[in-house]
Amino acid sequence: MGLLDRVTAQSMDQDYAEVAARRGHRPATAGDDGASPDGPSAAPAAERPAPGVVGLLVIALFGVLVVTAGLQTSRQADDRASGRQELLEQIADRRGVVERRRERAAALRAENVRLEEDLVLATGSGRTLANRVDRLSAATGAVPLRGPGVRIVVDDAPNAATDQQRILDRDLQRISNALWQAGAEAIAINGRRLTALSAIRQAGQAITVNYESLRRPYVVEALGDPDTIPARFIDTRYGAEFLDVQRTVGLRFEVTTEGDLTVPAAERLTLRHATTAEVPAQ
Amino acid sequence: MIAALGLVVGLLLGLTLQPEVPLWLEPYLPIAVVAALDAVFGALRAFLDGIFDDKVFVVSFVSNVVIAATIVYLGDKLGVGGQLSTGVIVVLGIRIFSNVAAIRRHLFHA
């Protein structure tokens, strides 16, 4: 018997027939549908066993089941529809958000490019400026400097009696000028840095540098090439003049070359009157 | 008569109470209803055949529902998903059809 045939033939539970047969009712087979359509209807309706209270309860349960399933399905359909609507709204919302974010990203990217260019310019000009400041502060005496150089110690002649036998401001001026000419890059006299604002002046018995009195002996330290400075010093006009005087009156004069000298920063570099004129940047 | 009354009472009860189906029971409800439908049509046919029996009806109803639900559950657990349920639906559908055909023959003698 084919599967479909079997299913069709036994579509009604066979138990009904079996129980009926056991009770002595008119025997009926489960597979007789259509075979004897007149058979059941021939039996009087009164003879038909009707469902009792239990059957009623089960049928009521069936009703509840059907209604519940229907309600559930329609409720789910509602849920699904509203969920779908909500999802559509969310999609639209999020699309808007994405669009806005994309615009913002584009704007930020453009700004990034611009800022990067600025940064390149700024670091470029910043580096140039920093280099310039370094150069200038070294040259103007704003920072301490160290390096090889020469140390010159000068002092009055022993048992000096006249001004001629003493070191005067003029002598220190000559030495300084000669050193500058000889290629010195920074000069300090007794630890006082010479700058464009420095003055070497006689004040009574004392010499002042940067308006501060010095004590003997005078130590002039100059940074520069220690190999060439002493020789070039003698060649300069001021150097020659000083050495003439020195030799004549017997002033003390010692030159030593140093591998590592340090000159301090100038104490005062403030300009009181001059201001920067507009200079085109290099 | 009493069956129609029971059905009406059940429908009204369901409509008024509107019982909330727990989430874990949701997948079993539709197929349980189909199984119940099969049992009810079988019972109706048996009634018309004059061989209706309360006990058989109750047992077939309950067992139909339970077996259908079990098959769905098994299908879920085995990973075949809805395909076992499809088999159940097909068999029950054929049964309902042939039962309804028998009922129709009883009622209209055709």
Side-chain angles (χ1 to χ4, degrees), chain A residues 26 29 31 55 75 91 130 159 213 218 282:
Chain A
R26 182 187 51 82
T29 56
R75 210 178 291 151
I91 288 172
N159 309 317
S213 303
Y218 307 102
Q282 296 175 354

Side-chain angles (χ1 to χ4, degrees), chain A residues 19-38:
Chain A
V19 170
R22 217 183 301 146
R23 283 197 183 153
H25 276 291
R26 182 187 51 82
T29 56
D32 69 343
D33 45 324
S36 58
D38 295 336

Side-chain angles (χ1 to χ4, degrees), chain A residues 100-152:
Chain A
R100 279 198 297 282
R101 298 244 166 107
R102 203 174 286 147
E103 278 167 17
R104 191 167 144 66
L108 285 177
R109 214 173 290 133
E111 203 184 335
N112 247 5
V113 170
R114 203 174 53 71
L115 286 176
E116 243 164 50
E117 281 167 7
D118 280 3
L119 181 65
V120 169
L121 288 180
T123 49
S125 62
R127 206 174 299 134
T128 315
L129 273 180
N131 283 342
R132 206 165 150 225
V133 166
D134 282 352
R135 259 192 349 263
L136 290 178
S137 38
T140 52
V143 291
L145 295 178
R146 62 180 294 188
V150 296
R151 176 182 285 134
I152 297 175

Side-chain angles (χ1 to χ4, degrees), chain A:
Chain A
M1 200 187 263
L3 178 64
L4 280 179
D5 288 341
R6 177 190 283 272
V7 169
T8 314
Q10 300 181 350
S11 56
M12 188 176 64
D13 278 314
Q14 280 174 315
D15 299 339
Y16 286 117
E18 280 170 18
V19 170
R22 217 183 301 146
R23 283 197 183 153
H25 276 291
R26 182 187 51 82
T29 56
D32 69 343
D33 45 324
S36 58
D38 295 336
S41 58
E47 278 181 27
R48 287 176 182 162
V53 180
V54 183
L56 179 121
L57 283 181
V58 171
I59 289 196
L61 177 63
F62 170 69
V64 171
L65 265 182
V66 169
V67 169
T68 307
L71 284 177
Q72 189 70 20
T73 308
S74 72
R75 210 178 291 151
Q76 274 176 355
D78 284 353
D79 282 0
R80 223 168 280 150
S82 64
R84 190 178 139 75
Q85 193 56 38
E86 210 166 285
L87 279 179
L88 283 177
E89 279 165 18
Q90 279 188 15
I91 288 172
D93 277 1
R94 291 295 156 92
R95 264 202 202 127
V97 170
V98 167
E99 192 53 41
R100 279 198 297 282
R101 298 244 166 107
R102 203 174 286 147
E103 278 167 17
R104 191 167 144 66
L108 285 177
R109 214 173 290 133
E111 203 184 335
N112 247 5
V113 170
R114 203 174 53 71
L115 286 176
E116 243 164 50
E117 281 167 7
D118 280 3
L119 181 65
V120 169
L121 288 180
T123 49
S125 62
R127 206 174 299 134
T128 315
L129 273 180
N131 283 342
R132 206 165 150 225
V133 166
D134 282 352
R135 259 192 349 263
L136 290 178
S137 38
T140 52
V143 291
L145 295 178
R146 62 180 294 188
V150 296
R151 176 182 285 134
I152 297 175
V153 180
V154 288
D155 202 352
D156 300 349
N159 309 317
T162 63
D163 275 355
Q164 274 223 312
Q165 290 169 311
R166 295 200 173 89
I167 292 291
L168 300 175
D169 55 350
R170 177 177 339 130
D171 299 312
L172 287 184
Q173 286 165 9
R174 279 177 183 145
I175 292 172
S176 306
N177 285 338
L179 282 172
W180 285 132
Q181 244 177 312
E185 288 164 2
I187 300 174
I189 300 177
N190 281 19
R192 282 157 186 83
R193 180 81 172 269
L194 293 190
T195 70
L197 296 175
S198 295
I200 304 174
R201 303 296 299 276
Q202 193 79 38
Q205 290 299 305
I207 300 175
T208 65
V209 169
N210 295 355
Y211 312 107
E212 287 179 64
S213 303
L214 304 184
R215 289 161 181 269
R216 298 187 304 125
Y218 307 102
V219 180
V220 182
E221 289 166 321
L223 300 191
D225 188 347
D227 297 334
T228 58
I229 285 183
R232 289 175 65 186
F233 179 85
I234 297 165
D235 282 347
T236 59
R237 188 164 66 85
Y238 293 116
E241 279 177 15
F242 173 74
L243 287 175
D244 275 351
V245 175
Q246 184 259 336
R247 237 174 268 127
T248 314
V249 299
L251 298 171
R252 184 181 163 203
F253 177 73
E254 294 162 19
V255 180
T256 52
T257 61
E258 300 284 340
D260 188 24
L261 280 177
T262 303
V263 295
E267 275 163 26
R268 194 181 69 85
L269 274 176
T270 320
L271 299 179
R272 285 195 188 141
H273 303 289
T275 54
T276 318
E278 279 305 320
V279 188
Q282 296 175 354

Side-chain angles (χ1 to χ4, degrees), chain A residues 11 23 33 40 52 72 76, chain B residues 26 45 49 53-54 60 98 106:
Chain A
S11 56
R23 283 197 183 153
D33 45 324
Q72 189 70 20
Q76 274 176 355
Chain B
E26 250 177 38
R45 184 182 166 191
D49 280 354
D53 186 87
D54 246 352
S60 77
S98 61
H106 274 299

